[in-house]
Every structure is written in structure tokens, then in C-alpha cells.
Amino acid sequence: MTITYKPIAQEYLSAVKTLNSVIFPVKYHDRVYQDALACGPVSQLAFEGDTLVGAILCRLEALPGGAAQLYIISLGVLAPVRGAGIGSQLLAASLACCEHDTAIQRATLHVHTANTEALEFYSRKGFTVTETIAGYYKRIDPPDAAVLVKQLQPEEQQQQAQQQQDA
């Protein structure tokens, strides 16, 4: 199996919407896809030949003090090709886009609390659960979400970036 990775582009949005409808129990609003498209290469796609088999959709969000965070909207891989490292590669590519931008201090996402496979995946990748939000999802039972965070910049680098912005 040969997998190729590409940044998200307008021409793939229809396929990404179809992929997400197959993988996830929630329907994403069109605005989500436009946000991911606007943020460029932090959103990545995985293809086997011409078939889209995985995607990570992200957006950049402002934090207080001029900092930013990478918000992972979704990361999904079709069931027949799971376990081949595609999700790990997609996540790594998105995080790599943020490495040299000290303003992007962390990556964060919400995960359905019943999705133990995803919780374990993100834990292995250095994410920690920081809180649980009761009633986050409207059409999923249980409706709760775990908030996961991974710091992308060392603490001293975050402080230096903050001091430069305050100067």
C-alpha cells in the first residue's frame, strides 16, 4: 500500500466531506471545511492512489496575548487502512507545520469520551486530558467530550514570545 500526503485544497473538499460522513457520527458545517482550507497545510490529506483514505482538518485560533493554538477539528482514517500509521503521519505533518512558529503554543481538540481508541491514540502522541465538558455533543450518547492538549513550545520559549509581544 502506497500512501501519498497532500495539503488540503478546494478540489478535495467534496471528498473530505464524504470521508468525514463515513467516519464520524457528527455532521460538520460547511464553515468548518472553509476554516480548514483557509489555514493551508496544517490540514492534510492521505490518498491511496486516487482514493482519499484519511484527513486531518485543523484551524488556527487566537489566544490571549497574541499567542495561538492549533485546533484539530477532525482526524480520521477509513477503517480498512487503520493501523498502517496514516493517522500518525497526518498528525505529525500538522504539528510539524507549527514547529517553527513560536506563537502557536499548543494543539488542542475535543474527543468523545466513549472513543477510547482516540483517547489512547492522542495519549501516545503526548496529549493530555485537561477537562471534560458535559453535554458537548448534541446527538451522541454519552454527550460528553474530553478536551485534550499538547504543548508545542517549551515553557521558556512561550515566556520569551510573550515578553516580545508585550514589549
Side-chain angles (χ1 to χ4, degrees):
M1 169 170 54
T2 301
I3 303 296
T4 56
Y5 297 90
K6 301 177 185 179
I8 195 168
Q10 183 71 41
E11 66 191 278
Y12 304 123
L13 282 188
S14 178
V16 173
K17 289 177 184 180
T18 300
L19 178 83
N20 278 355
S21 73
V22 169
I23 296 173
F24 299 109
V26 296
K27 184 175 190 248
Y28 293 101
H29 191 277
D30 285 342
R31 177 72 186 166
V32 166
Y33 298 99
Q34 293 306 316
D35 287 349
L37 189 60
C39 289
V42 295
S43 292
Q44 294 278 318
L45 309 176
F47 292 87
E48 181 181 18
D50 292 334
T51 303
L52 181 65
V53 296
I56 184 168
L57 301 182
C58 304
R59 67 175 174 253
L60 296 172
E61 297 178 339
L63 295 172
Q69 71 179 2
L70 178 74
Y71 181 78
I72 300 170
I73 300 165
S74 65
L75 169 56
V77 176
L78 289 176
V81 293
R82 284 188 197 141
I86 297 168
S88 294
Q89 288 285 80
L90 288 165
L91 179 61
S94 291
L95 296 178
C97 288
C98 303
E99 277 182 354
H100 302 293
D101 187 341
T102 57
I104 304 171
Q105 296 185 356
R106 66 184 182 220
T108 187
L109 70 149
H110 293 84
V111 174
H112 185 225
T113 54
N115 189 346
T116 56
E117 184 179 0
L119 291 168
E120 290 169 4
F121 171 83
Y122 287 108
S123 177
R124 289 192 308 271
K125 304 301 178 190
F127 286 77
T128 57
V129 175
T130 59
E131 69 177 302
T132 300
I133 302 174
Y136 181 80
Y137 296 106
K138 304 300 177 213
R139 296 180 181 96
I140 303 175
D141 188 38
D144 306 333
V147 178
L148 286 84
V149 174
K150 178 178 181 157
Q151 293 302 320
L152 300 179
Q153 303 298 333
E155 191 66 35
E156 67 270 4
Q157 210 169 8
Q158 290 180 28
Q159 291 170 353
Q160 289 172 355
Q162 185 64 45
Q163 289 170 352
Q164 289 173 351
Q165 291 167 359
D166 292 344

PDB file of all heavy atoms in Angstrom, residues 3-13 15-16 33 36-47 52 54-58 89-90 93-94 97:
ATOM      1  N   ILE A   3       0.862   5.266   0.275  1.00  0.00           N
ATOM      2  CA  ILE A   3       0.054   6.407   0.710  1.00  0.00           C
ATOM      3  C   ILE A   3       0.801   7.684   0.357  1.00  0.00           C
ATOM      4  O   ILE A   3       2.000   7.798   0.621  1.00  0.00           O
ATOM      5  CB  ILE A   3      -0.211   6.362   2.231  1.00  0.00           C
ATOM      6  CG1 ILE A   3      -0.888   5.050   2.624  1.00  0.00           C
ATOM      7  CG2 ILE A   3      -1.030   7.567   2.676  1.00  0.00           C
ATOM      8  CD1 ILE A   3      -2.262   4.829   2.032  1.00  0.00           C
ATOM      9  N   THR A   4       0.092   8.623  -0.249  1.00  0.00           N
ATOM     10  CA  THR A   4       0.661   9.939  -0.518  1.00  0.00           C
ATOM     11  C   THR A   4      -0.098  10.959   0.324  1.00  0.00           C
ATOM     12  O   THR A   4      -1.299  10.805   0.583  1.00  0.00           O
ATOM     13  CB  THR A   4       0.579  10.312  -2.008  1.00  0.00           C
ATOM     14  OG1 THR A   4      -0.778  10.224  -2.440  1.00  0.00           O
ATOM     15  CG2 THR A   4       1.439   9.391  -2.856  1.00  0.00           C
ATOM     16  N   TYR A   5       0.621  11.985   0.745  1.00  0.00           N
ATOM     17  CA  TYR A   5       0.057  13.018   1.614  1.00  0.00           C
ATOM     18  C   TYR A   5       0.094  14.348   0.886  1.00  0.00           C
ATOM     19  O   TYR A   5       1.083  14.668   0.212  1.00  0.00           O
ATOM     20  CB  TYR A   5       0.848  13.098   2.928  1.00  0.00           C
ATOM     21  CG  TYR A   5       0.761  11.806   3.711  1.00  0.00           C
ATOM     22  CD1 TYR A   5       1.688  10.793   3.512  1.00  0.00           C
ATOM     23  CD2 TYR A   5      -0.270  11.591   4.608  1.00  0.00           C
ATOM     24  CE1 TYR A   5       1.594   9.594   4.204  1.00  0.00           C
ATOM     25  CE2 TYR A   5      -0.369  10.398   5.309  1.00  0.00           C
ATOM     26  CZ  TYR A   5       0.569   9.402   5.101  1.00  0.00           C
ATOM     27  OH  TYR A   5       0.464   8.222   5.786  1.00  0.00           O
ATOM     28  N   LYS A   6      -1.004  15.093   1.017  1.00  0.00           N
ATOM     29  CA  LYS A   6      -1.118  16.391   0.359  1.00  0.00           C
ATOM     30  C   LYS A   6      -1.819  17.361   1.292  1.00  0.00           C
ATOM     31  O   LYS A   6      -2.701  16.959   2.057  1.00  0.00           O
ATOM     32  CB  LYS A   6      -1.965  16.286  -0.915  1.00  0.00           C
ATOM     33  CG  LYS A   6      -1.465  15.328  -1.957  1.00  0.00           C
ATOM     34  CD  LYS A   6      -2.436  15.265  -3.130  1.00  0.00           C
ATOM     35  CE  LYS A   6      -1.997  14.212  -4.137  1.00  0.00           C
ATOM     36  NZ  LYS A   6      -2.932  14.122  -5.259  1.00  0.00           N
ATOM     37  N   PRO A   7      -1.481  18.650   1.185  1.00  0.00           N
ATOM     38  CA  PRO A   7      -2.250  19.649   1.940  1.00  0.00           C
ATOM     39  C   PRO A   7      -3.671  19.730   1.379  1.00  0.00           C
ATOM     40  O   PRO A   7      -3.899  19.432   0.203  1.00  0.00           O
ATOM     41  CB  PRO A   7      -1.503  20.961   1.697  1.00  0.00           C
ATOM     42  CG  PRO A   7      -0.217  20.599   1.057  1.00  0.00           C
ATOM     43  CD  PRO A   7      -0.365  19.237   0.454  1.00  0.00           C
ATOM     44  N   ILE A   8      -4.592  20.145   2.204  1.00  0.00           N
ATOM     45  CA  ILE A   8      -5.965  20.303   1.756  1.00  0.00           C
ATOM     46  C   ILE A   8      -6.032  21.346   0.632  1.00  0.00           C
ATOM     47  O   ILE A   8      -5.232  22.279   0.600  1.00  0.00           O
ATOM     48  CB  ILE A   8      -6.896  20.693   2.928  1.00  0.00           C
ATOM     49  CG1 ILE A   8      -8.360  20.508   2.534  1.00  0.00           C
ATOM     50  CG2 ILE A   8      -6.596  22.103   3.413  1.00  0.00           C
ATOM     51  CD1 ILE A   8      -9.319  20.599   3.698  1.00  0.00           C
ATOM     52  N   ALA A   9      -6.949  21.139  -0.291  1.00  0.00           N
ATOM     53  CA  ALA A   9      -7.168  22.075  -1.395  1.00  0.00           C
ATOM     54  C   ALA A   9      -8.650  22.046  -1.753  1.00  0.00           C
ATOM     55  O   ALA A   9      -9.354  21.058  -1.477  1.00  0.00           O
ATOM     56  CB  ALA A   9      -6.316  21.697  -2.604  1.00  0.00           C
ATOM     57  N   GLN A  10      -9.112  23.111  -2.357  1.00  0.00           N
ATOM     58  CA  GLN A  10     -10.533  23.246  -2.726  1.00  0.00           C
ATOM     59  C   GLN A  10     -11.036  22.036  -3.507  1.00  0.00           C
ATOM     60  O   GLN A  10     -12.146  21.556  -3.277  1.00  0.00           O
ATOM     61  CB  GLN A  10     -10.728  24.532  -3.545  1.00  0.00           C
ATOM     62  CG  GLN A  10     -12.170  24.810  -3.928  1.00  0.00           C
ATOM     63  CD  GLN A  10     -13.043  25.227  -2.756  1.00  0.00           C
ATOM     64  OE1 GLN A  10     -12.619  25.992  -1.913  1.00  0.00           O
ATOM     65  NE2 GLN A  10     -14.250  24.708  -2.703  1.00  0.00           N
ATOM     66  N   GLU A  11     -10.216  21.534  -4.416  1.00  0.00           N
ATOM     67  CA  GLU A  11     -10.636  20.433  -5.284  1.00  0.00           C
ATOM     68  C   GLU A  11     -10.952  19.142  -4.514  1.00  0.00           C
ATOM     69  O   GLU A  11     -11.626  18.255  -5.044  1.00  0.00           O
ATOM     70  CB  GLU A  11      -9.568  20.159  -6.344  1.00  0.00           C
ATOM     71  CG  GLU A  11      -8.255  19.641  -5.754  1.00  0.00           C
ATOM     72  CD  GLU A  11      -7.131  19.613  -6.763  1.00  0.00           C
ATOM     73  OE1 GLU A  11      -7.059  18.633  -7.545  1.00  0.00           O
ATOM     74  OE2 GLU A  11      -6.334  20.567  -6.761  1.00  0.00           O
ATOM     75  N   TYR A  12     -10.480  19.027  -3.270  1.00  0.00           N
ATOM     76  CA  TYR A  12     -10.701  17.808  -2.487  1.00  0.00           C
ATOM     77  C   TYR A  12     -11.820  17.942  -1.454  1.00  0.00           C
ATOM     78  O   TYR A  12     -12.126  16.972  -0.761  1.00  0.00           O
ATOM     79  CB  TYR A  12      -9.408  17.408  -1.758  1.00  0.00           C
ATOM     80  CG  TYR A  12      -8.223  17.219  -2.659  1.00  0.00           C
ATOM     81  CD1 TYR A  12      -7.054  17.946  -2.460  1.00  0.00           C
ATOM     82  CD2 TYR A  12      -8.257  16.315  -3.717  1.00  0.00           C
ATOM     83  CE1 TYR A  12      -5.952  17.775  -3.283  1.00  0.00           C
ATOM     84  CE2 TYR A  12      -7.160  16.139  -4.544  1.00  0.00           C
ATOM     85  CZ  TYR A  12      -6.007  16.883  -4.324  1.00  0.00           C
ATOM     86  OH  TYR A  12      -4.925  16.700  -5.139  1.00  0.00           O
ATOM     87  N   LEU A  13     -12.425  19.121  -1.326  1.00  0.00           N
ATOM     88  CA  LEU A  13     -13.398  19.333  -0.245  1.00  0.00           C
ATOM     89  C   LEU A  13     -14.577  18.375  -0.295  1.00  0.00           C
ATOM     90  O   LEU A  13     -15.025  17.880   0.738  1.00  0.00           O
ATOM     91  CB  LEU A  13     -13.892  20.778  -0.223  1.00  0.00           C
ATOM     92  CG  LEU A  13     -12.943  21.797   0.391  1.00  0.00           C
ATOM     93  CD1 LEU A  13     -13.639  23.142   0.536  1.00  0.00           C
ATOM     94  CD2 LEU A  13     -12.399  21.346   1.725  1.00  0.00           C
ATOM     95  N   ALA A  15     -14.657  15.317  -1.432  1.00  0.00           N
ATOM     96  CA  ALA A  15     -14.189  14.002  -0.969  1.00  0.00           C
ATOM     97  C   ALA A  15     -13.962  14.004   0.541  1.00  0.00           C
ATOM     98  O   ALA A  15     -14.259  13.011   1.224  1.00  0.00           O
ATOM     99  CB  ALA A  15     -12.911  13.608  -1.700  1.00  0.00           C
ATOM    100  N   VAL A  16     -13.458  15.115   1.088  1.00  0.00           N
ATOM    101  CA  VAL A  16     -13.228  15.211   2.535  1.00  0.00           C
ATOM    102  C   VAL A  16     -14.562  15.161   3.276  1.00  0.00           C
ATOM    103  O   VAL A  16     -14.688  14.479   4.306  1.00  0.00           O
ATOM    104  CB  VAL A  16     -12.436  16.490   2.894  1.00  0.00           C
ATOM    105  CG1 VAL A  16     -12.355  16.674   4.400  1.00  0.00           C
ATOM    106  CG2 VAL A  16     -11.042  16.438   2.288  1.00  0.00           C
ATOM    107  N   TYR A  33     -15.096  23.294   6.985  1.00  0.00           N
ATOM    108  CA  TYR A  33     -14.244  22.960   5.851  1.00  0.00           C
ATOM    109  C   TYR A  33     -13.563  24.206   5.284  1.00  0.00           C
ATOM    110  O   TYR A  33     -12.396  24.165   4.896  1.00  0.00           O
ATOM    111  CB  TYR A  33     -15.047  22.225   4.782  1.00  0.00           C
ATOM    112  CG  TYR A  33     -15.588  20.916   5.297  1.00  0.00           C
ATOM    113  CD1 TYR A  33     -16.907  20.794   5.737  1.00  0.00           C
ATOM    114  CD2 TYR A  33     -14.768  19.792   5.391  1.00  0.00           C
ATOM    115  CE1 TYR A  33     -17.392  19.601   6.238  1.00  0.00           C
ATOM    116  CE2 TYR A  33     -15.250  18.585   5.893  1.00  0.00           C
ATOM    117  CZ  TYR A  33     -16.562  18.499   6.314  1.00  0.00           C
ATOM    118  OH  TYR A  33     -17.030  17.316   6.813  1.00  0.00           O
ATOM    119  N   ALA A  36     -10.704  25.125   7.634  1.00  0.00           N
ATOM    120  CA  ALA A  36      -9.560  24.238   7.410  1.00  0.00           C
ATOM    121  C   ALA A  36      -8.823  24.624   6.127  1.00  0.00           C
ATOM    122  O   ALA A  36      -7.585  24.678   6.104  1.00  0.00           O
ATOM    123  CB  ALA A  36     -10.015  22.786   7.344  1.00  0.00           C
ATOM    124  N   LEU A  37      -9.563  24.925   5.101  1.00  0.00           N
ATOM    125  CA  LEU A  37      -8.963  25.327   3.827  1.00  0.00           C
ATOM    126  C   LEU A  37      -8.179  26.625   3.985  1.00  0.00           C
ATOM    127  O   LEU A  37      -7.069  26.767   3.463  1.00  0.00           O
ATOM    128  CB  LEU A  37     -10.070  25.493   2.780  1.00  0.00           C
ATOM    129  CG  LEU A  37      -9.651  25.704   1.338  1.00  0.00           C
ATOM    130  CD1 LEU A  37      -8.835  24.526   0.828  1.00  0.00           C
ATOM    131  CD2 LEU A  37     -10.888  25.895   0.468  1.00  0.00           C
ATOM    132  N   ALA A  38      -8.727  27.564   4.747  1.00  0.00           N
ATOM    133  CA  ALA A  38      -8.083  28.870   4.941  1.00  0.00           C
ATOM    134  C   ALA A  38      -6.757  28.764   5.696  1.00  0.00           C
ATOM    135  O   ALA A  38      -5.898  29.628   5.552  1.00  0.00           O
ATOM    136  CB  ALA A  38      -9.031  29.809   5.683  1.00  0.00           C
ATOM    137  N   CYS A  39      -6.583  27.710   6.479  1.00  0.00           N
ATOM    138  CA  CYS A  39      -5.359  27.562   7.279  1.00  0.00           C
ATOM    139  C   CYS A  39      -4.262  26.787   6.557  1.00  0.00           C
ATOM    140  O   CYS A  39      -3.198  26.538   7.120  1.00  0.00           O
ATOM    141  CB  CYS A  39      -5.686  26.919   8.625  1.00  0.00           C
ATOM    142  SG  CYS A  39      -6.589  28.054   9.688  1.00  0.00           S
ATOM    143  N   GLY A  40      -4.520  26.392   5.335  1.00  0.00           N
ATOM    144  CA  GLY A  40      -3.484  25.796   4.500  1.00  0.00           C
ATOM    145  C   GLY A  40      -2.942  24.465   4.968  1.00  0.00           C
ATOM    146  O   GLY A  40      -3.706  23.583   5.352  1.00  0.00           O
ATOM    147  N   PRO A  41      -1.609  24.312   4.963  1.00  0.00           N
ATOM    148  CA  PRO A  41      -1.002  22.990   5.119  1.00  0.00           C
ATOM    149  C   PRO A  41      -1.134  22.344   6.500  1.00  0.00           C
ATOM    150  O   PRO A  41      -0.738  21.194   6.657  1.00  0.00           O
ATOM    151  CB  PRO A  41       0.468  23.227   4.764  1.00  0.00           C
ATOM    152  CG  PRO A  41       0.694  24.671   5.002  1.00  0.00           C
ATOM    153  CD  PRO A  41      -0.619  25.349   4.704  1.00  0.00           C
ATOM    154  N   VAL A  42      -1.692  23.033   7.497  1.00  0.00           N
ATOM    155  CA  VAL A  42      -1.922  22.345   8.766  1.00  0.00           C
ATOM    156  C   VAL A  42      -3.029  21.300   8.624  1.00  0.00           C
ATOM    157  O   VAL A  42      -3.145  20.414   9.453  1.00  0.00           O
ATOM    158  CB  VAL A  42      -2.229  23.301   9.952  1.00  0.00           C
ATOM    159  CG1 VAL A  42      -1.035  24.178  10.261  1.00  0.00           C
ATOM    160  CG2 VAL A  42      -3.479  24.107   9.720  1.00  0.00           C
ATOM    161  N   SER A  43      -3.829  21.403   7.572  1.00  0.00           N
ATOM    162  CA  SER A  43      -4.826  20.375   7.253  1.00  0.00           C
ATOM    163  C   SER A  43      -4.261  19.524   6.125  1.00  0.00           C
ATOM    164  O   SER A  43      -3.886  20.039   5.076  1.00  0.00           O
ATOM    165  CB  SER A  43      -6.153  21.009   6.836  1.00  0.00           C
ATOM    166  OG  SER A  43      -6.747  21.665   7.930  1.00  0.00           O
ATOM    167  N   GLN A  44      -4.193  18.226   6.368  1.00  0.00           N
ATOM    168  CA  GLN A  44      -3.536  17.308   5.445  1.00  0.00           C
ATOM    169  C   GLN A  44      -4.469  16.175   5.033  1.00  0.00           C
ATOM    170  O   GLN A  44      -5.381  15.803   5.778  1.00  0.00           O
ATOM    171  CB  GLN A  44      -2.301  16.698   6.108  1.00  0.00           C
ATOM    172  CG  GLN A  44      -1.186  17.673   6.402  1.00  0.00           C
ATOM    173  CD  GLN A  44      -0.327  17.923   5.186  1.00  0.00           C
ATOM    174  OE1 GLN A  44       0.009  17.004   4.431  1.00  0.00           O
ATOM    175  NE2 GLN A  44       0.036  19.185   4.984  1.00  0.00           N
ATOM    176  N   LEU A  45      -4.204  15.615   3.863  1.00  0.00           N
ATOM    177  CA  LEU A  45      -4.998  14.519   3.320  1.00  0.00           C
ATOM    178  C   LEU A  45      -4.079  13.338   3.002  1.00  0.00           C
ATOM    179  O   LEU A  45      -2.914  13.535   2.650  1.00  0.00           O
ATOM    180  CB  LEU A  45      -5.716  14.964   2.049  1.00  0.00           C
ATOM    181  CG  LEU A  45      -6.520  16.257   2.143  1.00  0.00           C
ATOM    182  CD1 LEU A  45      -7.094  16.636   0.779  1.00  0.00           C
ATOM    183  CD2 LEU A  45      -7.620  16.140   3.179  1.00  0.00           C
ATOM    184  N   ALA A  46      -4.632  12.130   3.098  1.00  0.00           N
ATOM    185  CA  ALA A  46      -3.891  10.912   2.768  1.00  0.00           C
ATOM    186  C   ALA A  46      -4.641  10.171   1.660  1.00  0.00           C
ATOM    187  O   ALA A  46      -5.850   9.948   1.769  1.00  0.00           O
ATOM    188  CB  ALA A  46      -3.762  10.015   3.997  1.00  0.00           C
ATOM    189  N   PHE A  47      -3.914   9.810   0.618  1.00  0.00           N
ATOM    190  CA  PHE A  47      -4.503   9.112  -0.527  1.00  0.00           C
ATOM    191  C   PHE A  47      -3.807   7.781  -0.749  1.00  0.00           C
ATOM    192  O   PHE A  47      -2.580   7.677  -0.634  1.00  0.00           O
ATOM    193  CB  PHE A  47      -4.325   9.943  -1.802  1.00  0.00           C
ATOM    194  CG  PHE A  47      -5.122  11.215  -1.835  1.00  0.00           C
ATOM    195  CD1 PHE A  47      -4.617  12.383  -1.290  1.00  0.00           C
ATOM    196  CD2 PHE A  47      -6.376  11.243  -2.415  1.00  0.00           C
ATOM    197  CE1 PHE A  47      -5.336  13.563  -1.327  1.00  0.00           C
ATOM    198  CE2 PHE A  47      -7.116  12.420  -2.454  1.00  0.00           C
ATOM    199  CZ  PHE A  47      -6.595  13.581  -1.905  1.00  0.00           C
ATOM    200  N   LEU A  52      -9.163   9.012  -1.391  1.00  0.00           N
ATOM    201  CA  LEU A  52      -8.912   9.657  -0.108  1.00  0.00           C
ATOM    202  C   LEU A  52      -9.205   8.650   1.002  1.00  0.00           C
ATOM    203  O   LEU A  52     -10.321   8.138   1.090  1.00  0.00           O
ATOM    204  CB  LEU A  52      -9.796  10.899   0.042  1.00  0.00           C
ATOM    205  CG  LEU A  52      -9.625  11.699   1.333  1.00  0.00           C
ATOM    206  CD1 LEU A  52      -8.233  12.305   1.421  1.00  0.00           C
ATOM    207  CD2 LEU A  52     -10.690  12.792   1.425  1.00  0.00           C
ATOM    208  N   GLY A  54      -7.784   9.230   4.380  1.00  0.00           N
ATOM    209  CA  GLY A  54      -7.630   9.854   5.691  1.00  0.00           C
ATOM    210  C   GLY A  54      -7.470  11.354   5.564  1.00  0.00           C
ATOM    211  O   GLY A  54      -7.070  11.862   4.511  1.00  0.00           O
ATOM    212  N   ALA A  55      -7.805  12.048   6.641  1.00  0.00           N
ATOM    213  CA  ALA A  55      -7.679  13.507   6.644  1.00  0.00           C
ATOM    214  C   ALA A  55      -7.566  14.024   8.063  1.00  0.00           C
ATOM    215  O   ALA A  55      -8.163  13.463   8.986  1.00  0.00           O
ATOM    216  CB  ALA A  55      -8.887  14.148   5.953  1.00  0.00           C
ATOM    217  N   ILE A  56      -6.808  15.097   8.210  1.00  0.00           N
ATOM    218  CA  ILE A  56      -6.795  15.865   9.450  1.00  0.00           C
ATOM    219  C   ILE A  56      -7.171  17.289   9.067  1.00  0.00           C
ATOM    220  O   ILE A  56      -6.578  17.870   8.165  1.00  0.00           O
ATOM    221  CB  ILE A  56      -5.437  15.798  10.192  1.00  0.00           C
ATOM    222  CG1 ILE A  56      -5.525  16.550  11.532  1.00  0.00           C
ATOM    223  CG2 ILE A  56      -4.289  16.294   9.329  1.00  0.00           C
ATOM    224  CD1 ILE A  56      -4.343  16.308  12.456  1.00  0.00           C
ATOM    225  N   LEU A  57      -8.210  17.786   9.717  1.00  0.00           N
ATOM    226  CA  LEU A  57      -8.667  19.155   9.490  1.00  0.00           C
ATOM    227  C   LEU A  57      -8.347  19.977  10.727  1.00  0.00           C
ATOM    228  O   LEU A  57      -8.660  19.561  11.848  1.00  0.00           O
ATOM    229  CB  LEU A  57     -10.168  19.199   9.228  1.00  0.00           C
ATOM    230  CG  LEU A  57     -10.679  18.388   8.042  1.00  0.00           C
ATOM    231  CD1 LEU A  57     -12.189  18.589   7.893  1.00  0.00           C
ATOM    232  CD2 LEU A  57      -9.958  18.759   6.766  1.00  0.00           C
ATOM    233  N   CYS A  58      -7.718  21.117  10.518  1.00  0.00           N
ATOM    234  CA  CYS A  58      -7.308  21.978  11.626  1.00  0.00           C
ATOM    235  C   CYS A  58      -7.629  23.431  11.312  1.00  0.00           C
ATOM    236  O   CYS A  58      -7.814  23.804  10.151  1.00  0.00           O
ATOM    237  CB  CYS A  58      -5.799  21.876  11.856  1.00  0.00           C
ATOM    238  SG  CYS A  58      -5.192  20.211  12.162  1.00  0.00           S
ATOM    239  N   GLN A  89       0.895   9.814  10.771  1.00  0.00           N
ATOM    240  CA  GLN A  89       1.567  10.657   9.778  1.00  0.00           C
ATOM    241  C   GLN A  89       0.813  11.968   9.560  1.00  0.00           C
ATOM    242  O   GLN A  89       1.429  13.028   9.445  1.00  0.00           O
ATOM    243  CB  GLN A  89       1.700   9.924   8.447  1.00  0.00           C
ATOM    244  CG  GLN A  89       2.713   8.808   8.472  1.00  0.00           C
ATOM    245  CD  GLN A  89       4.130   9.347   8.452  1.00  0.00           C
ATOM    246  OE1 GLN A  89       4.664   9.764   9.471  1.00  0.00           O
ATOM    247  NE2 GLN A  89       4.735   9.351   7.286  1.00  0.00           N
ATOM    248  N   LEU A  90      -0.508  11.893   9.503  1.00  0.00           N
ATOM    249  CA  LEU A  90      -1.307  13.107   9.324  1.00  0.00           C
ATOM    250  C   LEU A  90      -1.107  14.060  10.503  1.00  0.00           C
ATOM    251  O   LEU A  90      -0.896  15.262  10.312  1.00  0.00           O
ATOM    252  CB  LEU A  90      -2.791  12.752   9.159  1.00  0.00           C
ATOM    253  CG  LEU A  90      -3.185  12.093   7.841  1.00  0.00           C
ATOM    254  CD1 LEU A  90      -4.567  11.473   7.944  1.00  0.00           C
ATOM    255  CD2 LEU A  90      -3.110  13.092   6.694  1.00  0.00           C
ATOM    256  N   ALA A  93       2.389  15.620  10.446  1.00  0.00           N
ATOM    257  CA  ALA A  93       2.519  16.661   9.415  1.00  0.00           C
ATOM    258  C   ALA A  93       1.892  17.970   9.882  1.00  0.00           C
ATOM    259  O   ALA A  93       2.460  19.045   9.683  1.00  0.00           O
ATOM    260  CB  ALA A  93       1.874  16.193   8.112  1.00  0.00           C
ATOM    261  N   SER A  94       0.738  17.890  10.523  1.00  0.00           N
ATOM    262  CA  SER A  94       0.083  19.100  11.021  1.00  0.00           C
ATOM    263  C   SER A  94       0.900  19.754  12.124  1.00  0.00           C
ATOM    264  O   SER A  94       1.109  20.973  12.119  1.00  0.00           O
ATOM    265  CB  SER A  94      -1.323  18.783  11.545  1.00  0.00           C
ATOM    266  OG  SER A  94      -2.159  18.430  10.477  1.00  0.00           O
ATOM    267  N   CYS A  97       4.009  21.619  10.895  1.00  0.00           N
ATOM    268  CA  CYS A  97       3.742  22.949  10.332  1.00  0.00           C
ATOM    269  C   CYS A  97       3.823  24.034  11.403  1.00  0.00           C
ATOM    270  O   CYS A  97       4.020  25.205  11.082  1.00  0.00           O
ATOM    271  CB  CYS A  97       2.351  22.987   9.685  1.00  0.00           C
ATOM    272  SG  CYS A  97       2.233  22.063   8.160  1.00  0.00           S
TER     273      CYS A  97
END
